[in-house]
Structure formats: C-alpha cells, structure tokens
Amino acid sequence: MPVYLDYNASAPFPKGLSGELESLISQYGNPASLHSSGRSARRLINQATENAAAFLDIDAEFIYWTSGASEANSWAVHSAVEYARSKNLKPRLLISAIEHESVQLAAKFHEACGAELKIIPVTKNGVIDLEWLKNLLATDANWSLISVMHANNETGVVQPVEQVVAAAKAHLIPTHVDCVQTLGKMPLSVRKIGATYTTFSAHKVGGLKGTGILAIQGTGKILTPLIHGKQQKSLRGGTENPVGVAAFGSVLMQLKKTAGFATSLTMMRNDFEAKLKKLIPGTIIHGEGTSRLYNTTFVGFEGADGDGILMGLDLEGVCASSGSACTSGSIDPSTVLLAMECDKAIARSSVRFSSGPTTTWADYEQVLKVLVDIVARVRK
Ligand code: PLP
C-alpha cells in the first residue's frame, strides 16, 4: 500500500462507499422520467440535496449540482459577467492572486472578451491583503464580482472570507467563495460565510470525481446558464448524475464523524514539520505561522528540484504533489508561491503533503525516513 499524502488532490473513497455504489448504479433511470425507474433516480437526487443542504447549512432550493468545482467556479464568474452585461455595464472582476485555475482562467477568458480584471494581492504568508481590498473598495466599489477562496489548495492558508464578504456587501458587490478545500476540514456554514456563490467538489472528500455543487444565496441571486437545457430550473442543463450526486450526499453525512480527526492530524502535521526542519537544513514551510488547514504542509527545500523529489518519493511508494494537481508535471513554478513573493528556485523545489482521516503517524514517519536521502540526492 502506498503512503498516500495527497488528499488535497483527491481523497480516497470511504469504507462502505463501494457497496453503496453497487446499489446506486442499479438505479439507472433518467431522473427526468416519470416512470418508477426515473422516480427512483429523482429520489436519490432529492435525498442528496437535503443531505447537502443540512450539512452545508443552506436551503435545498439554493443548491445546483455540477460536474465538479471547476464548472461551479466557471459558472459563478460567468453569471456575474452576464449579469453586468444584461445591465449594459462593463463586467469588472476582482479575484485573489491565489484562486484555483478554474477561477483564474474563467476570469482571464472574460477579460479577453472585454471585462476588466483586477487581482487582489496576497501577503508573503499567503493571506489576501484585506487592507488593500478595503482601500480599493473605499474609492472604487463598482465591481461585478469579488472571488476569494476559503483556503488555498497548495498552502492550506485560510482566507478571511467572512470579512471579504462583509466588505463587499457594504457596497452590494456579489461574492464567490471556493470552499473546495475547507469542506470536511473546518466547520462550514454557507449561511455564515454569506457569499452569493459558494462552490464545492465531491472528490476532495471521498466522493466521486465529476460531481460538484454551486450554492447561491442572498439578494444578488444571479445565475445565467453555462450549460443550456431544461434541468435544474433551466439554469444548469444536462441530465443530473444520480450516482455521483447520491454518493456526495452520503459522504457528506459521513463527514460529521471525521471532524474528530482534526486534533490528531494537527499534532501529526506539526510534529512532521518540526522534524523536517531538524533533519533537512534549508527547509522552508510555506505559510508557516499563519492559520492553515491542519492537513497541509507545503514545503520548499533549498537547492533541490521539487519534481526530482516527487519522483524519488514515488519510487519509495509515497504519493505527494508539487502543489495544484492541475499543474503537476509542468515545470512552471507555483503561481500561488510566486504571488507570495517566494523565490522562484524555492517555488520549484516545493512539495505538498496533505493528509486525511486515514493518515497515521507511520505514514509521516515513512516519509521522513526516505526524504532525507532523496533531498540530499536531488541536491547533488
Ligand atoms: N477549487 C479548488 C480550491 C481545488 O483544489 C480544486 C481541485 O483541484 C478545484 C476547485 C476543482 O475541483 P474539481 O476537480 O471538482 O473540478
């Protein structure tokens, strides 16, 4: 069994899900069909929507099922842009420098189509610069959307989203918060966060890939279809995926039980980082000393190459990542680290370890055992 420390890329399926999936796939009807098979599929979706609404603390009617968080994020940006256009206004987007690619690329696409795009900078610790944002809004508050994620997928640094939403609300600006990495790791209430658009992905918490949620709330409830069709109140076309949706609902119910893992995972992560610094000189923990997700260590090793370290780890049966899974395999340094003014060489040397409920101290020990030699070899 490999040591799996790449939960931020995708989490393993929880025990019991495979049995459940077997029964789910037997309900193959189209949820739009009126016959019994279709009604069974519809019931799965309705139940999952109720489960998700209860877990996320939002009314079920405000939940839309998507093909994942990339779609949900793109949809939020698209909707805000289209709303501005419908009012004959130039769309103006304000997104943080550390947003997931699906937000960044959607915003850049709209910029190429005539929207204005401004980037909210982050501090060296990887937290968005709230003062910068507040100062900007004091003189220029005419924005179509402000997008700031709840916690960054690479560094795990938690962002002050409630303050961002409050500042935006004061100027009636719609907001988007990508909660993909905080789901299941922090107490989470969509109502409390208060953003217009909140987005989630199933596979980061043990659900199936290709399933996500866009939740919408508040006075600026603006949705324009990205995918056209009659399903989901004609706002998100395409036959829903009852298996993926039901599995997500079921996983969310199980997440309540995993909340207790936070304390032990925090202790393990802290011990791991302390030992890394002791055993490997020139170790830099990104976002250290800042409020971070308890499961994430994003670490640079001076004078080493991150891809070389990852290959060495893989040969030893350790799954880790060079940051965002979508950019692994590319030699470009992490844009998140560059936004934090991290040195390019350190950014290139960085490796992310992210744990989850099945992680044990033996996993971290195994990494420590092999990493000292791997880093020394790669440095040579
Ligand atoms: N947002 C964040 C913060 C992520 O970490 C990811 C996953 O890489 C996504 C969005 C995209 O999620 P999905 O894989 O469901 O499209």
Side-chain angles (χ1 to χ4, degrees):
M1 283 291 282
V3 169
Y4 190 78
L5 285 169
D6 204 12
Y7 270 75
N8 286 11
S10 216
F13 301 132
K15 275 201 188 88
L17 187 66
S18 59
E20 203 176 315
L21 287 176
E22 228 170 278
S23 104
L24 288 175
I25 54 175
S26 68
Q27 308 194 44
Y28 46 80
N30 186 324
S33 298
L34 295 179
H35 50 62
S36 59
S37 183
R39 291 201 306 275
S40 299
R42 173 60 53 203
R43 268 197 299 277
L44 289 179
I45 292 172
N46 289 348
Q47 184 57 58
T49 308
E50 291 298 329
N51 289 352
F55 188 86
L56 302 175
D57 186 24
I58 184 165
D59 293 340
E61 62 174 306
F62 301 146
I63 287 180
Y64 292 84
W65 296 100
T66 66
S67 67
S70 296
E71 181 193 327
N73 286 347
S74 305
W75 191 12
V77 175
H78 169 78
S79 295
V81 166
E82 286 304 310
Y83 184 76
R85 288 217 176 100
S86 74
K87 301 277 174 211
N88 288 325
L89 297 167
K90 179 182 169 118
R92 301 183 76 216
L93 301 168
L94 197 47
I95 71 167
S96 92
I98 54 167
E99 290 307 293
H100 186 259
E101 275 188 339
S102 52
V103 175
Q104 291 205 30
L105 295 180
K108 282 188 182 145
F109 168 81
H110 290 293
E111 185 186 30
C113 298
E116 183 183 333
L117 173 61
K118 205 172 181 81
I119 305 296
I120 306 168
V122 293
T123 65
K124 286 186 176 173
N125 282 336
V127 187
I128 65 135
D129 191 335
L130 198 57
E131 281 317 299
W132 182 96
L133 177 63
K134 284 181 178 168
N135 287 339
L136 175 75
L137 297 186
T139 55
D140 180 6
N142 197 11
W143 296 93
S144 316
L145 184 75
I146 299 181
S147 180
V148 175
M149 67 199 330
H150 202 184
N152 183 260
N153 41 308
E154 297 187 28
T155 59
V157 172
V158 178
Q159 305 300 320
V161 290
E162 286 175 21
Q163 282 138 285
V164 170
V165 172
K169 270 189 180 161
H171 300 283
L172 304 178
I173 306 167
T175 42
H176 164 232
V177 176
D178 172 338
C179 290
V180 167
Q181 293 295 341
T182 44
L183 181 64
K185 295 175 193 147
M186 280 172 59
L188 200 154
S189 158
V190 169
R191 218 179 294 269
K192 218 167 135 211
I193 291 172
T196 319
Y197 309 97
T198 324
T199 47
F200 302 92
S201 174
H203 73 99
K204 307 289 180 174
V205 289
L208 303 185
K209 289 157 190 72
T211 315
I213 287 176
L214 181 141
I216 182 149
Q217 65 179 343
T219 44
K221 270 186 265 158
I222 319 141
L223 267 187
T224 308
L226 188 59
I227 298 176
H228 298 269
K230 287 266 169 68
Q231 292 84 355
Q232 303 198 63
K233 300 173 215 155
S234 296
L235 288 169
R236 200 284 188 178
T239 306
E240 297 100 321
N241 167 6
V243 176
V245 165
F248 195 7
S250 156
V251 164
L252 288 178
M253 290 298 93
Q254 291 185 40
L255 277 186
K256 282 184 187 156
K257 297 176 207 147
T258 58
F261 287 83
T263 314
S264 64
L265 285 176
T266 309
M267 277 159 54
M268 281 193 249
R269 197 273 312 264
N270 292 348
D271 270 7
F272 174 63
E273 292 184 354
K275 289 208 161 71
L276 270 183
K277 286 194 284 186
K278 204 167 144 205
L279 293 170
I280 308 177
T283 292
I284 295 141
I285 315 273
H286 303 299
E288 193 177 20
T290 316
S291 170
R292 271 183 303 154
L293 294 175
Y294 57 74
N295 78 322
T296 307
T297 295
F298 196 21
V299 55
F301 300 99
E302 273 170 12
D305 164 59
D307 284 346
I309 297 173
L310 280 179
M311 273 187 260
L313 285 169
D314 190 34
L315 287 173
E316 295 288 348
V318 176
C319 304
S321 164
S322 60
S324 168
C326 317
T327 50
S328 326
S330 114
I331 47 159
D332 291 339
S334 149
T335 52
V336 171
L337 292 182
L338 295 185
M340 291 161 67
E341 290 179 25
C342 174
D343 172 79
K344 259 192 188 166
I346 297 292
R348 279 209 177 87
S349 77
S350 297
V351 176
R352 181 188 70 187
F353 299 95
S354 51
S355 65
T358 60
T359 306
T360 62
W361 178 243
D363 294 326
Y364 277 122
E365 251 183 345
Q366 178 62 17
V367 175
L368 289 166
K369 203 171 129 200
V370 297
L371 194 56
V372 178
D373 282 350
I374 293 172
V375 173
R377 231 178 16 244
V378 174
R379 275 177 174 162
K380 269 191 206 150

